[in-house]
Amino acid sequence: MGSLRRHVPVAVVVGFAVALLAVSAAHHATEIEHINHTGGPLSAFVVDAIPAALLLVAGYWLHGADVDADARWLVAAWSMAGSALFTSVTVLTVAIREFEGRNVVEPVFPMLVDAGVGAVAGFAAGVFYVRARRDAERAARASDAFAFVNDVLRHDIRNSLGIIRGQAELLATASDDEAVESRATTIHEQTDEALDRIENAGTIADTLGDDAALEPVDLVPAVETAADRVADAHAVAVDTELPERALVRANDAVQSVVDNLVENAAEHNDADDPRVEVAVARANETVRFEVRDNGPGVETDVLADADGGLELVRTLVDHYDGHVEAAANEPRGAVFAVELPRAGAA
């Protein structure tokens, strides 16, 4: 039964092509008898035969195509619909002329041509639609699989880190050794940071998939958190210049924008006295977040060729309808600046 459903649409397309050829041959043979001339009718038959032959080739292709029965029926239906549409236009044109009292000479020939051309055009449109639908279904399955793996990994890693954090707390409490206690505290703090990043990963995925709702987010706490983390993890002085509040139109994933830029300024800083300056300034419609360092500097096209953290920064900022740029700092180093829409700005 399944094999029959796969072959019937092919039979419909091929049968229609053969029918067009047969009707065309019969019609033009009658013309030869009436006008006692072969050149014109034979030329017209060739014109009729071209789309019919193309439809035969299309039917052969559909026979070997790696598509299911439903897709084959869709292609056949589009082909027949295209033929009906093209032929209907010609019939309507002839009917209007007849209604106006004008003589229409030999309307069968253009109707046969339109029937064949419409069937071929409909077939091509049907194939395009089936492929587009198949690609969309594959993309949806891949997205679902990614979301499932993301949820499972975040759940399992979160549980494992929770156990590590608990053990670090017990070790810090039970030990009388200051060195052990200090290391246990560091493990606890780093575990908390990792848990925060895992929670933020879901928001990043939603944002990149255009599924996250944007809302007012205060950029100042995000900058303060990133500055504290970098100052603790790197031997870098981090100076901040921040207002009390700076609401931007974003979501929790904006923390990753701030983290990556501040960490990037610290990690690649090779100065004898490494420094990072972080500032946030409000304008009427935007909020500017700026990170300056005295490191080795950057190339002018660093954002165009960005990968890793900088690519994530650029992508998230684009989703926030913001702008990010990089420039040289004076006398040495780099400047990364991000402008985000200010929450509530017109």
Side-chain angles (χ1 to χ4, degrees):
M1 186 64 179
S3 177
L4 181 63
R5 289 190 70 244
R6 286 174 56 86
H7 293 309
V8 170
V10 178
V12 170
V13 174
V14 173
F16 187 73
V18 172
L20 283 177
L21 286 173
V23 172
S24 178
H27 172 69
H28 295 302
T30 304
E31 282 188 319
I32 293 175
E33 293 180 0
H34 287 167
I35 66 175
N36 197 25
H37 188 274
T38 59
L42 283 177
S43 299
F45 175 72
V46 171
V47 174
D48 285 339
I50 290 175
L54 290 175
L55 199 59
L56 283 173
V57 174
Y60 177 77
W61 176 88
L62 185 61
H63 173 72
D66 185 20
V67 293
D68 58 23
D70 291 338
R72 292 175 179 231
W73 275 110
L74 275 173
V75 172
W78 276 73
S79 181
M80 297 303 100
S83 177
L85 177 62
F86 278 48
T87 307
S88 298
V89 172
T90 304
V91 170
L92 182 60
T93 302
V94 172
I96 292 174
R97 291 303 188 209
E98 293 287 351
F99 178 77
E100 293 174 342
R102 303 184 187 185
N103 292 327
V104 180
V105 180
E106 219 288 279
V108 178
F109 172 50
M111 283 193 290
L112 288 172
V113 174
D114 287 344
V117 172
V120 173
F123 187 95
V127 171
F128 177 81
Y129 171 76
V130 166
R131 286 180 172 175
R133 191 181 69 168
R134 182 178 61 184
D135 291 343
E137 290 173 350
R138 287 177 176 174
R141 288 196 297 269
S143 178
D144 291 342
F146 170 77
F148 175 75
V149 172
N150 178 50
D151 290 342
V152 170
L153 287 177
R154 287 172 56 210
H155 175 269
D156 291 348
I157 295 174
R158 188 167 51 237
N159 287 345
S160 298
L161 288 175
I163 295 173
I164 293 173
R165 181 175 60 179
Q167 294 299 313
E169 290 177 349
L170 290 175
L171 182 61
T173 303
S175 177
D176 294 330
D177 189 326
E178 292 185 359
V180 173
E181 182 179 351
S182 175
R183 289 182 172 83
T185 301
T186 300
I187 293 173
H188 184 276
E189 292 173 350
Q190 291 298 312
T191 304
D192 285 342
E193 181 178 340
L195 287 169
D196 290 341
R197 293 181 184 271
I198 290 172
E199 292 300 325
N200 204 27
T203 306
I204 293 174
D206 290 340
T207 304
L208 299 183
D210 293 327
D211 294 330
L214 303 185
E215 58 187 5
V217 177
D218 191 356
L219 197 61
V220 172
V223 173
E224 290 174 339
T225 298
D228 290 340
R229 286 175 178 173
V230 168
D232 291 341
H234 303 273
V236 178
V238 181
D239 298 325
T240 60
E241 185 178 344
L242 308 173
E244 291 185 3
R245 299 186 74 194
L247 296 178
V248 297
R249 185 173 177 271
N251 57 18
D252 290 341
V254 77
Q255 182 71 60
S256 291
V257 173
V258 176
D259 287 343
N260 276 286
L261 290 182
V262 178
E263 289 174 0
N264 182 72
E267 289 175 356
H268 301 289
N269 199 322
D270 59 354
D272 294 334
D273 56 338
R275 298 187 310 275
V276 175
E277 299 174 357
V278 184
V280 173
R282 296 173 297 183
N284 289 334
E285 297 184 354
T286 60
V287 172
R288 183 179 178 88
F289 163 59
E290 193 172 271
V291 180
R292 293 177 175 269
D293 65 65
N294 61 339
V298 293
E299 300 292 335
T300 55
D301 58 351
V302 63
L303 291 173
D305 301 329
D307 56 8
L310 289 181
E311 183 179 15
L312 177 61
V313 168
R314 185 185 61 190
T315 304
L316 286 173
V317 170
D318 285 344
H319 278 73
Y320 296 148
D321 292 329
H323 174 70
V324 58
E325 60 186 19
N329 193 15
E330 294 296 339
R332 186 178 191 268
V335 181
F336 283 89
V338 173
E339 288 193 351
L340 297 173
R342 186 171 177 178

